[in-house]
Amino acid sequence: MLELKRLREDINTVKKEIEKRGAGISFDAWIKWDQTERELKVQIEGLQARKNKASEEIVALKKKQLPTDAILAEMKQVSQQVETLKLEIKTAQEEGAAFLLTVPNIPHASVPVGKNEDENIEIRQWGHRPLFPCTPRPHWEIGERLGILDFERAAKMSGARYALYQGLGARLERALINFMLDLHQHRYKEIIPPLIVNRESMTVTGQLPKFEEDLFHIGAEDAFLIPTGEVPLTNIHRNEILSHEQLPIFYVAYTPCFRREAGSYGKDTRGLIRQHQFNKVELVIFSPVESSYTLLEQLLSDAEEVLKRLELHYRVVALCTGDLSFASAKTYDIEVWMPAQGKFREISSCSNFEAFQARRADIRYRTSAGKVIHLHTLNGSGLAIGRTVAAILENNQQADGSVLIPEVLRPYMGGVERIV
RNA sequence: GGAGAGAUGGCCGAGUUCGGUUGAAGGCGUCUGACUCGAAAUCAGAUAUAGGGGAAACUCUAUCGGGGGUUCGAAUCCCUCUCUCUCCGCCA
C-alpha cells in the first residue's frame, strides 16, 4: 500500500512512477473518494465536538437538578445527522481502501525502466558454462533414468506439475535444504512457520486481493496454503511496534510452497521448474528505513553464496519496471545456468518492498529519535530447492549418465559422491 | 467437540456491579531537570497512535481485541466474530 500522505500531496508524481510499470491504473475515482471522505470528516467531527460538549452540559444540569429535555432532544437530532453522514463516509472509505490495495508499489529510482523481462539488466555473471562431450540431457530425463524422479506416478496420485522424489533424489533435496539452512545460520534466525495462513496474512504481503486465482484455497476455513515462506515470515511482526535496537531482524525458513500456476499452461510442463508444490528456503529481513538498500545487497550476496558453494554458473539481473512484482520497489533475480535449455533460469528473487508491506501489516518501529514509523521489509529465496536440484542434475551430468554431487553437499549425503 | 473465564496504554494492572469532565488510577520502564566530582538513591516534571485546523502557542476528532447495536452519552449494557486461559472428551 502506498503512503496516503504522498498520494494526497504528490499524486501526479506517483501516477508517473506507477505508469513506468505499464499497469495502466487510474487514480481519478480515488481522488474523488478521498475528497468526499475528508469533507465528510470535517462535518462529522464538528458535530461530534458539539455532542461531547453537550454531554458535559447534561452532567452539569443533572447535578444542579435542572431539566435536560431540550438538550436531549436536540442531541438526539444531532446524533441522527452523524449517523447519516457516517453511512456516507463509510462508502467512500471502503471504496478508497479497496482501490489502494490493488495499486502496486512505486519502483525505486535505480530500477531500469522497461516493458518486460527482455529489458531486465544483467548485473554480473559468476562461474562459467560447463562443457559437455555431447548434447546435455534435460534434468527430468536424467532423474527418471537414474530412478530418482518419477513424474508419472506423481501425476497418478496428484495430477500434473507434481514430483515424486525417490532414493538419492529425495536425499539430495533434503541435503540441499539442510545445507542452505546451515549456511544462513550465521545471520538469520531459523523459523518453522505454519504453512496455512488466513486471508489477512495474504493481503499483507500482496498476494490478495489481486492474485487469489494463483493460490490454493481451503474453503472450509477460508484459509490458504502459502505460495512462499515470505507470507508467514513477514506476518510474524504484523501489528507490532519494534524498537530500533532490535533491527535489522533476519529470518530464514524452509517451507514447502504451493502455487496454482493458473495461466501458465504450456510453460515448463516438464521437470521440476514449475510445480504446484515445491520446497524453498526463504530469507526475510525487517530493516530500518535508512539501511534497506544496503541490506538488499547483503541479501542478494547471501543468496549468491549458495550457488557459489554449489559451484553453479549463474548471473544476477536487475528487473526492469515492467517485470517488477506487485509489492516490490526493487528486485534482483538470480538466474542459474540450465545447460539443456541453453539459458539462465530464475532460481532466486531478492526484493526490497520498502514500507509497502509494512503499511499493510502495520509493522512499525521506534527510531532512536523516538518517532514511530513503518519499517522496510525485504525477502529473497535462498534458494528454490527444486530448481537447484534441476540445475545440479543438468550441470553435473557425466558422459556415463551419472551425476556428480557438489562437494559441499557430500557430508549431507552420507558421503555419496555420485548418483549412478 | 462440550462447559466456563478472560482480552484495557511500551509492560504490569485498576476501572466494568449501579453507563456521564476516565485518553483512562496506581506501579514499572523510558526521558528531562534538581542534588552529586560522577553514579546510585531521592525529589520534581514529562511520557500513546492516527487524522483534521492553526505561522505558532494550541485546539478538535477517533481509538480500552475486531465488527455491529442500545443511548443525548459506552472501556462499562446487548449481539457477533477472533484470540487466550481452565476443566471434560478425542487425538499425532
Side-chain angles (χ1 to χ4, degrees):
Chain A
M1 198 159 61
L2 302 180
E3 195 185 5
L4 267 185
K5 212 175 209 165
R6 176 121 193 244
L7 281 172
R8 284 174 181 159
E9 288 168 2
D10 199 12
I11 183 74
N12 287 322
T13 313
V14 172
K15 271 191 205 164
K16 252 185 243 155
E17 294 294 318
I18 297 284
E19 209 34 59
K20 287 182 186 167
R21 287 172 165 268
I25 289 174
S26 165
F27 286 86
D28 297 349
W30 177 81
I31 292 170
K32 245 172 115 182
W33 287 320
D34 189 52
Q35 246 166 24
T36 312
E37 185 192 332
R38 289 204 278 175
E39 280 162 20
L40 288 173
K41 202 167 184 180
V42 171
Q43 286 184 49
I44 290 172
E45 286 187 356
L47 292 175
Q48 221 41 282
R50 237 175 101 195
K51 278 173 67 179
N52 289 341
K53 274 230 181 73
S55 197
E56 285 174 31
E57 283 167 38
I58 291 168
V59 172
L61 287 176
K62 279 197 169 169
K63 269 187 185 157
K64 290 183 201 157
Q65 302 204 315
L66 293 169
T68 53
D69 300 10
I71 193 162
L72 287 191
E74 192 197 337
M75 283 310 112
K76 188 162 187 137
Q77 264 197 345
V78 173
S79 287
Q80 265 161 9
Q81 269 183 59
V82 170
E83 210 64 21
T84 316
L85 291 177
K86 274 191 176 165
L87 227 60
E88 279 180 53
I89 203 173
K90 199 175 164 191
T91 313
Q93 275 169 341
E94 281 173 355
E95 300 273 9
F99 166 75
L100 284 184
L101 283 178
T102 67
V103 178
N105 203 355
I106 296 171
H108 186 252
S110 67
V111 174
V113 178
K115 282 188 291 296
N116 53 44
E117 59 182 344
D118 298 332
E119 295 181 62
N120 293 343
I121 302 223
E122 182 175 306
I123 304 289
R124 59 176 164 270
Q125 289 199 10
W126 184 91
H128 45 263
R129 300 181 187 186
L131 295 172
F132 298 97
C134 46
T135 319
R137 297 177 187 281
H139 66 272
W140 57 86
E141 234 176 271
I142 302 167
E144 279 168 345
R145 281 164 62 112
L146 292 172
I148 58 174
L149 293 176
D150 189 336
F151 294 100
E152 233 172 88
R153 288 194 172 110
K156 177 169 63 182
M157 62 184 86
S158 301
R161 294 201 192 288
Y162 289 92
L164 180 74
Y165 292 74
Q166 317 190 81
L168 286 176
R171 185 128 194 216
L172 177 59
E173 181 95 358
R174 182 159 58 88
L176 280 166
I177 293 166
N178 284 325
F179 162 66
M180 290 185 201
L181 285 174
D182 286 351
L183 181 63
H184 295 305
Q185 288 296 325
H186 68 287
R187 204 187 318 281
Y188 299 81
K189 183 185 201 176
E190 187 172 343
I191 303 284
I192 298 179
L195 306 179
I196 296 174
V197 300
N198 56 33
R199 197 166 272 279
E200 199 182 342
S201 294
M202 284 293 188
T203 306
V204 158
T205 38
Q207 278 77 20
L208 292 178
K210 276 188 102 170
F211 308 107
E212 184 157 353
E213 70 279 5
D214 292 331
L215 301 171
F216 282 103
H217 182 231
I218 302 170
E221 315 282 338
D222 194 25
F224 299 88
L225 291 174
I226 60 167
T228 158
E230 164 196 356
V231 178
L233 290 183
T234 305
N235 275 280
I236 289 176
H237 294 295
R238 162 142 58 95
N239 289 120
E240 288 185 15
I241 299 175
L242 306 168
S243 117
H244 64 94
E245 285 139 341
Q246 289 174 264
L247 301 180
I249 297 173
F250 300 87
Y251 290 130
V252 58
Y254 150 68
T255 72
C257 303
F258 305 91
R259 299 185 182 178
R260 298 270 310 285
E261 293 296 346
S264 63
Y265 309 110
K267 261 193 226 165
D268 307 310
T269 49
R270 305 205 64 183
L272 293 171
I273 298 296
R274 198 173 296 275
Q275 298 275 299
H276 287 310
Q277 175 190 327
F278 63 97
N279 293 313
K280 186 150 64 80
V281 167
E282 183 77 358
L283 307 170
V284 165
I285 304 176
F286 294 83
S287 162
V289 299
E290 68 276 8
S291 39
S292 66
Y293 279 95
T294 313
L295 287 170
L296 178 61
E297 300 299 323
Q298 176 73 255
L299 176 67
L300 175 63
S301 92
D302 287 337
E304 283 182 68
E305 185 62 26
V306 180
L307 288 169
K308 285 181 182 166
R309 301 229 181 167
L310 292 172
E311 299 177 82
L312 290 168
H313 176 44
Y314 71 86
R315 66 171 187 171
V316 176
V317 301
L319 298 196
C320 71
T321 50
D323 200 25
L324 220 48
S325 71
F326 178 75
S328 174
K330 178 167 185 169
T331 298
Y332 293 112
D333 274 3
I334 303 176
E335 300 179 339
V336 70
W337 179 249
M338 296 297 283
Q341 293 181 40
K343 55 182 178 187
F344 289 101
R345 295 301 307 260
E346 177 187 338
I347 197 164
S348 171
S349 192
C350 299
S351 304
N352 185 357
F353 302 96
E354 297 187 4
F356 188 86
Q357 294 177 328
R359 275 190 290 269
R360 289 173 166 235
D362 205 22
I363 309 171
R364 294 170 292 174
Y365 72 109
R366 209 173 289 276
T367 64
S368 49
K371 268 222 155 247
V372 176
I373 58 173
H374 289 111
L375 48 71
H376 284 186
T377 56
L378 302 93
N379 74 52
S381 355
L383 312 161
I385 306 292
R387 290 188 178 184
T388 309
V389 168
I392 289 172
L393 294 183
E394 290 196 14
N395 283 283
N396 293 12
Q397 60 183 299
Q398 306 298 305
D400 62 2
S402 68
V403 171
L404 272 181
I405 302 296
E407 234 162 282
V408 287
L409 288 183
R410 291 178 191 169
Y412 291 91
M413 301 273 298
V416 173
E417 293 175 11
R418 181 188 289 267
I419 303 177
V420 289

